[in-house]
Amino acid sequence: MSQINTANMKVVEGSYAVAHAVMCCKPDVISAYPITPQTHIVEHLSQMVANGELDSEFLTVDSEFSALSVLVGASAMGARSYSSTTSQGLALMYEVLYNVSGMRMPVVMNVANRAMGAPLNIWNDQQDAVGARDVGWLQIYVEDVQEAVDATLQAYKIAEDPQIRMPIMVCMDGFVLTHVYEPVELLDKELASQYLPAFQPEKILDPAKPITFGAFADPSTYTEFRYQQFDAQLKSMAKIEKAAKEFEETFGRHYGGLVDSYFADDAEVVIVTMGSVIGTIKDAIDAMRKEGKKVGLVKVRSYRPFPVQALRQALKGASVIAVIEKDVSIGAEAGLVTDLKSAFYNSKIRMPIIGFAAGLGGRDITIKDIRKIVDKAEAARKGIESEFEFLDLRTEIL
Amino acid sequence: MEKSLLAPGHRACAGCAMPTTIRLVLDAAGPNTIVVSPTGCLEVTTTPFPESSWCVPWIHSLFENASAVASGVEVMLKRQKKDTNVVIIGGDGSTFDIGMGCNSGMFERGHKILYVCYDNEAYMNTGVQRSGSTPFCAQTTTTPPGSRSKGNPRPKKDMPAIALAHKVPYVATASVAYPVDLRKKVKAALQVDGPSYIQVNAPCITGWSFDAGTMIELSRLAVETGLWPLAEWVNGELAGVKKIRRPKPVKDYLEIQGRYKHLFKKNDCGDQLAKIQAIADANMAKYKLVD
Amino acid sequence: MDIKAGRLVDPCSTRLTKTGAWRTFVPVFDQDKCIKCSLCEIYCPEGCIHQVDGLFVPDLDYCKGCSVCAHECPRMAISMVLEEK
Ligand SMILES: Cc1ncc(C[n+]2csc(CCOP(=O)(O)OP(=O)(O)O)c2C)c(N)n1
Ligand SMILES: [Mg+2]
């Protein structure tokens, strides 16, 4: 990560920092429904609207399903639209998620990642968003509050690009990032407006030029709708890189575009992961490097689109890869490890890839855990014992 | 130049009441209108990509979210300081059942939106399954008559009362057979600064099973028997009722529809007929339909 | 077909589909009996009956032959006739 100007830093709650970023994006319509741990974001936004700091239409609705549906209508009217949710709320939106991407509406939503029930659990993992990886939304996973702030602004730039016009989830770990107080540089409103020009929709619902949105498509055209979404996701990779680069030029901060690396170049064991656990992993890597262990990290920032080429490039030197992720595909393995394996299958690059479901339902992932994973990865170089496992399984309560 | 705001070439069944209902609504609302529709026969028959029958801006998203989508449209119109009508036109399934949450939210938030339900009393698009609007004893594919069934076991849900409970300032019932009344009600609804709800009786040839030519006659009979009172509520008060000059027995209405055929085949359905007549009689008394 | 632009569909475009092909019976108007009440035009589900040069005529490109017009005509000026095709 690049230099941060500490002079402009303020200690604020993660949710406030993100709400402030949203304010700088000047959305026309905000529609959201409260759910832990996302609530503080929308509470802060409500207050900003109430104070007159933010000139947005804020709709308090009857459900997350309605919240996102409101944005379908608003977006069709040319609105820059915002929502935020997590877990059960995201699941309740599921049908609308497909609709927003199918109608190519550039909605931006912060997902405060949280476990899915049952059993009910309000703590952080990433099951909610990873479970929605196929709905057509771009998904950016952030590492810390500062990145959550910056990625929110970048998200509008990518989503509203005339060649993309796709919705984006900015995924931030619930509680870990939403409720933490840490020093962040809040966005400068002027600079944000420079970076993100006003949304220019080509066509809107307008009696002067009546058009039909959301017609039904039969087998003779449906495939082409899907293909165009697919194509837009692939094209968005360049836009994600560009948005990150332009952001760096304007604000001086950079987190990588599609992926980012930490000591990965000469590493033998490379950990691949997403989200806030990266902080712990970096600390573990620092310690292990001191001991002479060649351990590195590749952070997947963009999970959708899945950056196959960027990952092949970043990981080509690794002797073994350990994927740590806070989700599980019940009955298979887990999202990231499966996608990563498939990224390598048809390439000439081969190394063992093992996966760990960790931090489910908010369980801590410690430096000790990371060391354990690295040990297992090293052992896997000689032969894989287990391709995928639940980290820290408490066998005594099974 | 189109003479109406719904173009021909739509794929609705011959003799369907829904397109006529839409045209009457659009006649009254005029071209400065944005229409939002849920999934259902309307959406499938009027917007087969890459064609559309709509000559006004129109949007469909899902089966159960038209009210929320329309809310988003309406707040943006206000923000853009545009004075354009927002009209939802949806079937009874989305209105009475699956869209209830969004409808309740829209009513409660007080958006200036006219909600028109074309009520064909079942889920027609998926093949005539029962909805909350299906009347007592009607046959649908999920309430088939049989040795243990006389058709739909429950009476129709009172959706206008639900709208009224939300303090919706303008609520009305109408019928495709009474075009002057329907247009007048649409115009009145669009004058209201808030939500409004109009429920239009709209026979479905496939689901109700009748001779196509009798579509309008059937809807008229629904009114003349007292099964479909034409009423209007302004600010919660009953403000107008269409009187029936010569009330007809419900039998006249029921016996020409396939969905009630079983009531006339079996000898043991006399009770059912009497119960349906009682529903009509209760409406007559409640709304003072006959002078 | 430009599908990307076509995600949004042009208004009134079902006119491209001539649903008259569905028809078995065709309405025949006896203009002498017509009193110009316009009920046929109002009730027609296709919206395909309009006044042309003062006379009400169905647009047979779209008429599906449902016979609502014939049934509702107060003067019985419309009859449904089996169409030779
Ligand atoms: C969530 C969801 N559930 C079910 C369906 C299937 N479905 C589509 S239309 C429909 C019935 C529509 O009934 P109604 O609203 O009365 O309209 P109609 O077709 O009768 O005009 C159903 C059940 C759907 N599209 N979405
Ligand atoms: Mg229906």
Side-chain angles (χ1 to χ4, degrees):
Chain A
M1 200 202 280
S2 28
Q3 279 296 298
I4 282 192
N5 184 353
T6 44
N8 295 335
M9 292 189 106
K10 267 190 172 167
V11 176
V12 293
E13 192 203 31
S15 292
Y16 177 81
V18 166
H20 184 276
V22 172
M23 177 177 77
C24 293
C25 298
K26 298 194 256 183
D28 295 291
V29 180
I30 300 171
S31 181
Y33 193 83
I35 176 168
T36 306
Q38 155 268 30
T39 34
H40 290 185
I41 298 176
V42 289
E43 286 172 0
H44 288 307
L45 285 168
S46 309
Q47 191 63 58
M48 289 169 184
V49 172
N51 293 349
E53 287 170 83
L54 170 58
D55 175 28
S56 297
E57 311 301 322
F58 188 106
L59 272 84
T60 52
V61 287
D62 46 281
S63 70
E64 287 86 354
F65 176 83
S66 285
L68 193 55
S69 296
V70 162
L71 299 187
V72 170
S75 198
M77 289 295 295
R80 177 171 288 165
S81 310
Y82 177 82
S83 192
S84 176
T85 191
T86 173
S87 179
Q88 313 304 129
L90 188 68
L92 191 55
M93 286 179 178
Y94 192 67
E95 211 190 351
V96 200
L97 292 175
Y98 271 101
N99 225 258
V100 169
S101 69
M103 287 210 254
R104 308 293 292 272
M105 294 172 159
V107 174
V108 170
M109 181 156 75
N110 287 112
V111 177
N113 297 108
R114 163 183 152 180
M116 291 295 308
L120 183 72
N121 174 301
I122 58 166
W123 290 274
N124 163 243
D125 69 27
Q126 294 167 346
Q127 188 73 40
D128 50 1
V130 173
R133 68 179 180 179
D134 297 332
V135 299
W137 288 54
L138 279 65
Q139 292 193 349
I140 307 280
Y141 287 77
V142 303
E143 161 182 353
D144 57 23
V145 174
Q146 188 68 59
E147 190 183 1
V149 165
D150 298 352
T152 300
L153 180 65
Q154 292 174 23
Y156 276 108
K157 183 125 173 153
I158 301 158
E160 291 173 1
D161 187 295
Q163 287 178 303
I164 307 301
R165 289 286 195 271
M166 291 284 268
I168 303 190
M169 294 181 203
V170 176
C171 303
M172 57 191 294
D173 284 329
F175 285 119
V176 185
L177 299 183
T178 53
H179 286 55
V180 70
Y181 277 75
E182 61 180 35
V184 281
E185 194 175 330
L186 297 174
L187 292 181
D188 179 85
K189 275 192 208 173
E190 292 277 303
L191 282 184
S193 298
Q194 261 174 41
Y195 176 83
L196 179 70
F199 176 35
Q200 303 278 346
E202 296 99 4
K203 288 181 178 169
I204 59 167
L205 291 169
D206 178 7
K209 266 185 155 187
I211 42 168
T212 286
F213 279 67
F216 108 98
D218 70 13
S220 69
T221 56
Y222 183 87
T223 304
E224 286 67 26
F225 278 77
R226 281 290 162 273
Y227 171 78
Q228 283 181 326
Q229 281 177 279
F230 192 91
D231 188 49
Q233 281 250 1
L234 297 190
K235 285 191 178 124
S236 74
M237 288 197 225
K239 306 286 181 182
I240 293 170
E241 295 280 8
K242 188 163 164 256
K245 197 160 162 284
E246 285 178 21
F247 187 88
E248 186 177 17
E249 285 159 18
T250 314
F251 294 91
R253 292 187 293 273
H254 190 257
Y255 310 84
L258 298 163
V259 299
D260 199 11
S261 300
Y262 190 70
F263 289 110
D265 285 348
D266 68 335
E268 285 162 4
V269 178
V270 180
I271 296 170
V272 177
T273 196
M274 316 192 279
S276 66
V277 70
I278 284 166
T280 312
I281 297 174
K282 282 179 176 169
D283 289 346
I285 289 175
D286 290 346
M288 287 185 280
R289 282 271 164 181
K290 275 187 198 139
E291 297 157 13
K293 278 193 178 158
K294 288 193 165 175
V295 183
L297 164 81
V298 167
K299 149 177 158 181
V300 176
R301 194 164 175 265
S302 165
Y303 182 50
R304 284 293 178 277
F306 195 64
V308 172
Q309 295 304 337
L311 284 165
R312 284 183 184 169
Q313 185 61 30
L315 290 163
K316 62 174 189 254
S319 315
V320 60
I321 294 172
V323 178
I324 304 176
E325 60 190 300
K326 297 178 175 178
D327 62 278
V328 54
S329 175
I330 302 162
E333 33 187 40
L336 185 56
V337 69
T338 305
D339 288 343
L340 195 68
K341 283 186 196 171
S342 94
F344 283 107
Y345 189 81
N346 287 328
S347 81
K348 299 227 163 57
I349 315 160
R350 277 304 160 87
M351 72 287 278
I353 299 177
I354 54 173
F356 296 87
L360 300 187
R363 187 170 299 179
D364 235 11
I365 304 174
T366 62
I367 291 185
K368 226 170 94 191
D369 291 328
I370 306 297
R371 285 178 172 277
K372 210 160 37 183
I373 287 169
V374 170
D375 289 345
K376 288 193 181 208
E378 267 169 349
R381 289 170 72 175
K382 295 177 203 97
I384 297 175
E385 225 171 86
S386 145
E387 277 196 67
F388 180 77
E389 63 182 89
F390 285 69
L391 186 73
D392 256 348
L393 197 62
R394 292 183 56 200
T395 46
E396 76 277 12
I397 60 168
L398 290 175
Chain B
M1 190 54 209
E2 290 294 335
K3 296 205 172 73
S4 105
L5 294 168
L6 187 80
H10 59 73
R11 321 292 205 261
C13 302
C16 174
M18 174 263 290
T20 304
T21 307
I22 297 171
R23 272 210 333 279
L24 291 169
V25 171
L26 291 182
D27 278 356
N32 186 22
T33 300
I34 295 172
V35 175
V36 182
S37 289
T39 312
C41 281
L42 174 150
E43 167 258 340
V44 169
T45 57
T46 62
T47 67
F49 183 86
E51 297 174 23
S52 170
S53 301
W54 297 85
C55 308
V56 291
W58 181 91
I59 182 169
H60 156 258
S61 169
L62 294 167
F63 185 22
E64 65 277 39
N65 70 355
S67 281
V69 173
S71 302
V73 170
E74 189 254 15
V75 292
M76 275 306 284
L77 283 170
K78 277 195 180 141
R79 187 172 178 82
Q80 295 164 347
K81 302 199 165 48
K82 288 184 189 158
D83 190 19
T84 297
N85 303 317
V86 183
V87 180
I88 298 166
I89 310 183
D92 49 287
S94 54
T95 307
F96 285 58
D97 297 342
I98 200 165
M100 186 60 85
C102 290
N103 293 345
S104 175
M106 182 275 278
F107 286 155
E108 167 225 309
R109 287 190 301 272
H111 295 278
K112 186 173 173 357
I113 293 172
L114 164 59
Y115 193 123
V116 177
C117 171
Y118 67 96
D119 186 359
N120 54 27
E121 304 191 320
Y123 302 152
M124 298 312 184
N125 187 48
T126 37
V128 198
Q129 295 85 20
R130 178 203 170 278
S131 80
S133 168
T134 302
F136 182 57
C137 285
Q139 166 176 8
T140 68
T141 52
T142 51
T143 55
S147 60
R148 294 181 185 182
S149 162
K150 287 167 184 165
N152 187 37
R154 300 284 303 151
K156 189 182 174 80
K157 193 187 287 185
D158 191 351
M159 186 62 204
I162 293 172
L164 287 166
H166 286 79
K167 308 233 180 316
V168 170
Y170 184 88
V171 176
T173 52
S175 151
V176 67
Y178 294 79
V180 177
D181 179 70
L182 172 53
R183 286 201 205 103
K184 199 188 77 197
K185 284 171 175 167
V186 169
K187 288 211 159 105
L190 290 172
Q191 292 307 308
V192 172
D193 189 20
S196 46
Y197 176 72
I198 303 179
Q199 185 171 304
V200 188
N201 181 279
C204 164
I205 173 161
T206 309
W208 298 13
S209 181
F210 53 84
D211 288 338
T214 61
M215 179 266 280
I216 295 292
E217 183 190 332
L218 201 56
S219 191
R220 198 179 295 124
L221 274 171
V223 174
E224 289 172 343
T225 52
L227 285 173
W228 192 279
L230 296 181
E232 193 176 28
W233 293 262
V234 177
N235 296 324
E237 299 294 326
L238 188 62
V241 167
K242 177 138 199 98
K243 299 281 182 185
I244 305 173
R245 237 176 287 157
R246 271 184 300 277
K248 302 207 163 120
V250 294
K251 188 168 160 288
D252 290 7
Y253 171 67
L254 304 176
E255 69 185 357
I256 55 172
Q257 300 179 57
R259 62 173 173 162
Y260 294 110
K261 196 170 57 195
H262 57 288
L263 298 187
F264 299 93
K265 268 195 192 149
K266 288 194 204 157
N267 312 329
D268 63 345
C269 281
D271 273 7
Q272 264 53 40
L273 283 178
K275 281 180 189 163
I276 298 172
Q277 187 60 57
I279 293 171
D281 293 346
N283 284 338
M284 303 266 190
K286 180 174 173 191
Y287 296 104
K288 302 190 178 65
L289 294 176
V290 188
D291 277 329
Chain C
M1 177 173 34
D2 179 4
I3 297 197
K4 188 156 184 180
R7 288 196 315 271
L8 312 168
V9 179
D10 287 338
C12 318
S13 46
T14 46
R15 273 206 174 271
L16 295 169
T17 298
K18 306 286 191 294
T19 48
W22 300 14
R23 190 173 58 236
T24 308
F25 291 91
V26 64
V28 175
F29 285 57
D30 180 344
Q31 298 293 352
D32 293 339
K33 288 191 190 161
C34 175
I35 52 162
K36 314 264 187 298
C37 69
S38 80
L39 280 178
C40 56
E41 178 178 20
I42 291 169
Y43 287 135
C44 173
E46 308 317 310
C48 72
I49 303 174
H50 295 295
Q51 245 181 324
V52 180
D53 300 329
L55 304 177
F56 283 87
V57 284
D59 184 341
L60 295 183
D61 276 352
Y62 302 104
C63 170
K64 294 172 187 160
C66 70
S67 79
V68 164
C69 55
H71 205 90
E72 290 306 316
C73 178
R75 289 299 153 110
M76 292 192 280
I78 307 170
S79 42
M80 299 304 295
V81 177
L82 186 65
E83 196 173 21
E84 304 281 342
K85 281 195 184 168

